[in-house]
Amino acid sequence: NGGSGIKLAAYSSGLHWHNDEEPMIPYISHDNIISDNVCSYNQQAPTVNSGIYLQAPLKNIIVEGNQCNHQARGIRSVFTNPDYTINNVTIKNNICEDVEAYGISIIANSHAIIEGNTTDHTISVTGQSGSLRNFDSVLKNNICEHLLTNHCERLTVQGNTTQTIQPINGADVDYIGNTINAQDSTIDLGRVRRFDRNIVTFTGEGRLETETIHMIRSICGNIINSEYSTTGRYVITTSFNAGPPVLKVCDNIFNCNSRVIRGYVGKVMISNNIFNFDESEEYYGTAIDCFGDGWVISGNVGSVPYSIMLREGTENNIVTGNNGSVIGESGSLDNNIISANM
């Protein structure tokens, strides 16, 4: 097993077929269950082997209820040939503690379900490459130190508890209902579709931004805590033209002492957010800084006085029903609709 506790692999040579079988070429290992095993104290780093080692091609595989502790990696899948595939693999309710590299590292082509696992290290879910992506997979209700996703499309990341997350490459990724306890770096939402109902605590200079390809459509219902305090830093920064449909930033609670939202895109709705600034901090004030056109800014509430800034040249924005003051730069108030703000 190359130092792994359990190895599940498919090979295409040296196979015996019974007379009543139709040969499967290439052979794909399928319909296997690995459950309730103790696969601990196997190979240590820098080896790439693990407690449970899955080697493509595979399909319809369940890995459930195993303990894979005290080694380089807990559970991982690998490709020895890019033409092979891994589909419909479920990694559920496993424990991977005291690992040196990844707790769970799954490369797949589609329908990988990673649910209810616990590790004190990283859970990674990826595709093989940008051209060989992982489609329609789910990361749900896991507990880990770090959550990494790459080359995934239509991925759902829901209900996980982690210290940090790192979405890298992909498309239409949804982060819903996660708890992120100590995010010390920027979360790039450029390839994320929804970022809703998460609890995020930023440490250091961590923030949300969309400085790359702009796919984000919803940042709603989150509780965002940020300890960073400066006049030049924003918790959310959006760039590039959102286009239809509207980018919604709604129903969030921001507990922070820096500028909150800065945007350059059109068609943005910023509504019913709560800005909890701490008056004891050195800086608070500008909650929304608008460089775009066609925004709707309504119903936002601040715990202390705050401002909404409309930058020079902006037009066709609607700003109404907020309890903050509206400041226009170089006559921009004349080109926007402003009413019933305090």
Side-chain angles (χ1 to χ4, degrees):
N1 291 341
S4 297
I6 295 174
K7 181 177 181 180
L8 175 62
Y11 299 94
S12 296
S13 60
L15 300 176
H16 172 77
W17 302 99
H18 294 279
N19 292 332
D20 59 349
E21 288 183 296
E22 181 177 347
M24 180 190 295
I25 305 296
Y27 181 75
I28 300 175
S29 182
H30 58 281
D31 301 317
N32 294 291
I33 298 174
I34 302 173
S35 66
D36 301 317
N37 301 283
V38 177
C39 303
S40 300
Y41 294 100
N42 292 287
Q43 286 280 6
Q44 305 300 308
T47 183
V48 297
N49 295 312
S50 56
I52 297 176
Y53 187 92
L54 309 173
Q55 182 175 306
L58 305 169
K59 68 177 182 179
N60 304 335
I61 307 298
I62 297 174
V63 180
E64 182 173 10
N66 302 281
Q67 295 186 39
C68 301
N69 305 320
H70 313 297
Q71 55 209 347
R73 290 168 171 82
I75 301 169
R76 76 183 301 235
S77 67
V78 298
F79 284 78
T80 57
N81 185 325
D83 294 330
Y84 291 164
T85 58
I86 295 180
N87 297 300
N88 298 310
V89 58
T90 297
I91 313 294
K92 186 174 182 179
N93 295 338
N94 301 282
I95 298 174
C96 304
E97 300 284 3
D98 190 27
V99 291
E100 300 174 54
Y102 291 89
I104 297 173
S105 174
I106 298 299
I107 305 175
N109 296 95
S110 71
H111 298 94
I113 299 174
I114 317 300
E115 181 177 359
N117 303 283
T118 300
T119 179
D120 56 1
H121 213 288
T122 300
I123 294 179
S124 170
V125 177
T126 72
Q128 293 189 65
S129 66
S131 60
L132 294 171
R133 291 185 172 185
N134 180 346
F135 289 88
D136 301 307
S137 290
V138 176
L139 264 164
K140 185 176 181 180
N141 297 338
N142 301 284
I143 299 172
C144 63
E145 184 75 13
H146 182 60
L147 197 61
L148 184 149
T149 61
N150 194 12
H151 302 312
C152 293
E153 191 160 336
R154 300 192 300 269
L155 171 70
T156 299
V157 183
Q158 183 172 2
N160 302 282
T161 299
T162 182
Q163 295 296 100
T164 58
I165 67 170
Q166 187 180 7
I168 301 177
N169 197 341
D172 294 333
V173 180
D174 294 338
Y175 282 83
I176 302 171
N178 302 282
T179 300
I180 305 163
N181 288 318
Q183 184 72 30
D184 57 359
S185 61
T186 294
I187 301 174
D188 187 348
L189 299 181
R191 298 177 184 273
V192 174
R193 178 175 55 187
R194 295 177 57 196
F195 193 84
D196 295 343
R197 303 195 305 277
N198 302 286
I199 301 173
V200 187
T201 299
F202 287 107
T203 62
E205 298 186 12
R207 62 173 177 171
L208 301 171
E209 69 178 14
T210 60
E211 298 293 350
T212 58
I213 297 172
H214 196 125
M215 295 181 180
I216 187 70
R217 291 293 176 259
S218 175
I219 305 173
C220 295
N222 302 285
I223 299 174
I224 298 179
N225 308 304
S226 177
E227 66 181 26
Y228 201 71
S229 180
T230 178
T231 57
R233 190 73 172 181
Y234 296 81
V235 178
I236 298 177
T237 302
T238 64
S239 299
F240 294 86
N241 195 323
V246 171
L247 165 60
K248 296 180 180 179
V249 183
C250 302
D251 303 306
N252 301 285
I253 299 174
F254 295 94
N255 301 312
C256 59
N257 293 291
S258 64
R259 300 180 182 223
V260 182
I261 303 169
R262 183 179 192 176
Y264 300 90
V265 299
K267 300 181 179 64
V268 178
M269 176 183 292
I270 302 176
S271 298
N272 302 323
N273 299 285
I274 297 174
F275 306 113
N276 288 326
F277 295 109
D278 185 349
E279 286 188 278
S280 66
E281 291 290 329
E282 178 180 353
Y283 177 78
Y284 65 91
T286 302
I288 302 169
D289 202 353
C290 172
F291 288 79
D293 301 324
W295 289 29
V296 176
I297 303 172
S298 65
N300 299 286
V301 176
S303 60
V304 297
Y306 70 92
S307 63
I308 300 168
M309 175 70 76
L310 300 177
R311 295 293 181 170
E312 181 179 2
T314 58
E315 59 184 8
N316 300 322
N317 297 295
I318 299 172
V319 184
T320 183
N322 306 280
N323 79 333
S325 60
V326 182
I327 301 173
E329 184 179 63
S330 300
S332 62
L333 294 182
D334 298 332
N335 304 314
N336 298 284
I337 299 172
I338 301 167
S339 65
N341 301 284
M342 296 177 61

